[in-house]
Amino acid sequence: MALSSAFEYAPAPESRSVVDIAPSYGLFIDGEFTEAADGKVFKTVSPSTEEVLSEVARAGTADVDRAVQAARKAFTKWSALPGSERAKYLFRIARIIQERSRELAVLETLDNGKPIKETRDTDLPLVAAHFFYYAGWADKLSHAGFGANPRPLGVAGQVIPWNFPLLMLAWKIAPALATGNTVVLKPAETTPLSALFFADICRQAGLPKGVVNILPGYGDAGAALVEHPDVNKVAFTGSTAVGKAIARSVAGTDKKVTLELGGKGANIVFDDAPVDQAVEGIVTGIFFNQGQVCCAGSRLLVQESVQEEVVDALKRRLATLRLGDPLDKNTDIGAINSAEQLARIQKLADTGEAEGAERWSPACELPTSGYWFAPTVFTGVTQAHTVARDEIFGPVLSVLSFRTPDEAVAKANNTQYGLSAGIWTEKGSRILAVANKLRAGVVWANTFNKLDPTSPFGGYKESGYGREGGRHGLEAYLAPSSPEGKR
C-alpha cells in the first residue's frame, strides 16, 4: 500500500519471469555446485511475502576446509598470471553482470526486500563498476603506491551482510582477484541467492576453478572461515559485535584483516542550506534500503533557527513516499529483510517512545504478509536517548538541534561509531572546516549515500578499520610475501 499521497499510481510491477530460481542450490566449491558434507540445508524466503524462494545447502566446517583447499590450489596458477590476463576475466565478469543486470536486480529484490528501482538503478550499476574499476588496476599494481612489486596474500576469507548482498560481494571479490588472490566467500544466510548466481557468472566467464568459492551458511561457517589456519586475509562487513569477535579470533596470527562495521551517521543541516535539497538528502540518507545501511544518516542535526522548517518539510515529503511491493517500480520503501531484524527495529523504536522522544510516522497501511515498518521520525531527542546512540538499522530517524558549528561537531562526534556524516550548507569554507573536525571515514557535502568504486570507504572507532574501494582498497590484499602466497 502507498503512504498517503496527492497522486495515484497505477501498479508498475517488474516481471518475475526474467529470473529462474531453482528449487535448490548447492555450495560452490572448486568450480562446481555440491551438497554440504553433512547434507544440511536451509530455506531462503522473500521478506515482502514470506514466500520460500529456494532451499540452499548449509556449509559446515568440513565444507569450509574443502573450499579453502580449493582456493589454495587455484592460487598458484591464478597469482602467476600477468595482471593483464587477470584483468580479462574481471572485464568479462563485469560485462556479464551488465548483460544479466535485469535478472540480478529482480533476484536481489525478491531475496532482500529492497525496491526494484534501488537494485536496478543503484546496486547493479555499482556492482559492474567495481569489477570494471579493479580490472583496470590488475596490470598497474606496481604503480599503486604499495611498492615496486607488491604480492598477493593468498586465500581471502570474506563474510558479507544481507543489506547489499551483491554489492558487498563486488567490494570484496573484485580487488581480491585483481591483486592475484583467491576467494572463499560466505554470503548472509537470509540473502544467499545473488552470490550463487554470481558463482554461475564465474563459470560463464571461464574463471579457473577454485579462484572463487561461495559457501552459503550461518555464523558457524563464517567463524570457521575466519579461523581457518590457511586463510591469509579476512574481510568482514557486518555488526560491530561480530567484528569484535573476529578481531579477537585473529589476534596473534599474521592474518591481514579489514572490518567494516556499524554506524550512527550524523546528517548536519545548517541554517543556510537549501531546505528542499537537504530534505531529499535526509530521505536518501535514512530511508534508502529501509535504513538498513551501515552509513545511514540516522541522526539528523539541524540548526535550531531552521529546525521547525526542516522537520515540517521532511514530514510533508515522507507523506508522499510509497511503501509496498518491492517489485513495483513506483515503490520507495520496501520490506525489512527478516523477522529478526524487524523485531529489533520495533524494540528500539518502542524504547525511544518510552524514553520520552516524540514519535511520528506518515499515515500508512502496512501489507498483511511480510516484514514491514513505516518510516519513523523521532523529535525531542537528546544525546541520552537510546535512539540517538544505538544503531537501529531500520527506517528510523532521530532529530537533534544545535546552535553553533562547534556544537554540531561535538554532537556528531559523540558516538562510539565513526563511519559517515553529511554536511548541508551553501558555504564551501564551512564544509571544509566542519568536515576536517568530524571523526567519520566518509563525509558527504550537500549529498548523502553516494558511493563510487574509485573512492575509499571505511570507518573509525567501532565502525571498524581498513578501507575498501579506490586505490586504497588494493592495500588490504597486497603484501611483500613470497609469490606462492605462503605465510
Side-chain angles (χ1 to χ4, degrees):
M1 297 290 292
L3 307 187
S4 59
S5 171
F7 300 98
E8 292 299 324
Y9 290 84
E14 175 62 88
S15 173
R16 286 186 57 165
S17 65
V18 299
V19 58
D20 182 18
I21 301 176
S24 65
Y25 288 94
L27 313 173
F28 186 69
I29 300 175
D30 203 20
E32 302 294 337
F33 286 100
T34 177
E35 293 182 2
D38 58 10
K40 288 185 177 180
V41 296
F42 65 97
K43 292 178 171 60
T44 183
V45 304
S46 180
S48 61
T49 62
E50 300 176 65
E51 161 200 1
V52 175
L53 296 173
S54 187
E55 189 175 78
V56 180
R58 176 178 171 178
T61 303
D63 305 302
V64 170
D65 192 53
R66 265 198 302 160
V68 172
Q69 287 182 29
R72 174 60 61 194
K73 181 181 177 183
F75 174 73
T76 303
K77 289 185 178 179
W78 179 252
S79 61
L81 283 178
S84 58
E85 291 300 310
R86 291 197 302 272
K88 291 178 183 178
Y89 289 102
L90 289 168
F91 278 126
R92 201 174 298 152
I93 288 170
R95 287 195 295 269
I96 294 170
I97 288 168
Q98 288 183 321
E99 291 165 2
R100 298 179 63 174
S101 62
R102 187 180 177 200
E103 170 195 8
L104 293 168
V106 172
L107 177 74
E108 199 80 303
T109 288
L110 286 170
D111 205 21
N112 170 276
K114 66 173 69 178
I116 185 67
K117 69 179 183 181
E118 292 183 11
T119 57
R120 179 195 65 198
D121 299 342
T122 301
D123 291 27
L124 264 298
L126 277 172
V127 170
H130 274 81
F131 280 97
F132 276 124
Y133 176 73
Y134 281 110
W137 268 117
D139 63 348
K140 304 173 186 67
L141 299 177
S142 295
H143 307 285
F146 308 119
N149 190 28
R151 300 289 186 181
L153 296 168
V155 177
Q158 304 174 330
V159 181
I160 60 172
W162 44 260
N163 57 337
F164 291 93
L166 199 55
L167 182 56
M168 292 298 99
L169 176 150
W171 278 29
K172 301 282 189 291
I173 290 182
L177 298 193
T179 49
N181 298 274
T182 53
V183 167
V184 180
L185 179 135
K186 191 201 87 69
E189 61 268 23
T190 60
T191 53
L193 294 184
S194 56
L196 293 167
F197 272 56
F198 180 79
D200 184 58
I201 288 172
C202 290
R203 294 204 299 188
Q204 189 179 345
L207 192 71
K209 292 183 177 183
V211 172
V212 168
N213 304 271
I214 307 290
L215 299 181
Y218 284 71
D220 58 332
L225 179 57
V226 167
E227 295 166 6
H228 196 286
D230 206 25
V231 165
N232 306 98
K233 156 77 175 134
V234 173
F236 172 75
T237 296
S239 73
T240 294
V242 175
K244 288 179 176 180
I246 289 173
R248 286 191 292 268
S249 72
V250 301
T253 74
D254 60 355
K255 293 177 181 177
K256 206 164 185 177
V257 183
T258 49
L259 301 174
E260 196 265 282
L261 309 175
K264 193 69 177 175
N267 215 350
I268 306 170
V269 179
F270 286 95
D271 58 5
D272 63 339
V275 172
D276 289 343
Q277 183 183 345
V279 164
E280 292 303 311
I282 294 164
V283 170
T284 299
I286 184 56
F287 299 116
F288 178 75
N289 196 17
Q290 297 71 254
Q292 299 170 137
V293 184
C294 52
C295 56
S298 53
R299 289 182 298 147
L300 175 61
L301 305 182
V302 189
Q303 198 150 17
E304 197 173 272
S305 58
V306 295
Q307 181 181 8
E308 185 176 345
E309 178 187 2
V310 170
V311 171
D312 287 348
L314 175 62
K315 289 180 176 180
R316 287 195 301 272
R317 179 67 179 94
L318 293 185
T320 69
L321 296 180
R322 295 179 60 82
L323 179 148
D325 179 10
L327 279 176
D328 192 310
K329 298 165 192 171
N330 294 321
T331 295
D332 300 299
I333 306 289
I336 303 302
N337 182 253
S338 66
E340 180 185 20
Q341 183 59 25
L342 177 59
R344 172 178 168 79
I345 295 168
Q346 289 171 333
K347 180 180 178 181
L348 286 167
D350 290 344
T351 299
E353 201 168 10
E355 290 177 351
E358 184 178 339
R359 180 175 180 172
W360 179 89
S361 292
C364 182
E365 183 179 342
L366 301 180
T368 54
S369 62
Y371 315 124
W372 304 90
F373 194 87
T376 300
V377 176
F378 279 101
T379 52
V381 177
T382 72
Q383 295 178 88
H385 281 96
T386 300
V387 292
R389 296 196 319 269
D390 290 4
E391 183 181 37
I392 299 173
F393 222 64
V396 180
L397 178 67
S398 298
V399 183
L400 301 92
S401 65
F402 67 90
R403 291 183 178 180
T404 66
D406 286 344
E407 184 184 357
V409 170
K411 286 186 173 181
N413 288 340
N414 184 22
T415 173
Q416 71 266 38
Y417 299 109
L419 193 56
S420 67
I423 303 169
W424 297 85
T425 174
E426 68 174 14
K427 295 182 177 65
S429 58
R430 179 179 284 165
I431 290 170
L432 295 173
V434 172
N436 284 331
K437 296 175 183 175
L438 295 174
R439 290 293 291 167
V442 179
V443 180
W444 285 289
N446 293 326
T447 188
F448 210 94
N449 271 347
K450 298 296 183 184
L451 301 171
D452 190 284
T454 68
S455 179
F457 183 90
Y460 296 100
K461 298 186 281 188
E462 291 193 10
S463 289
Y465 48 80
R467 293 294 180 265
E468 293 181 309
R471 179 184 64 84
H472 304 70
L474 297 166
E475 184 178 12
Y477 293 94
L478 293 170
S481 58
S482 66
E484 290 76 27
K486 294 178 180 177
R487 297 177 297 136

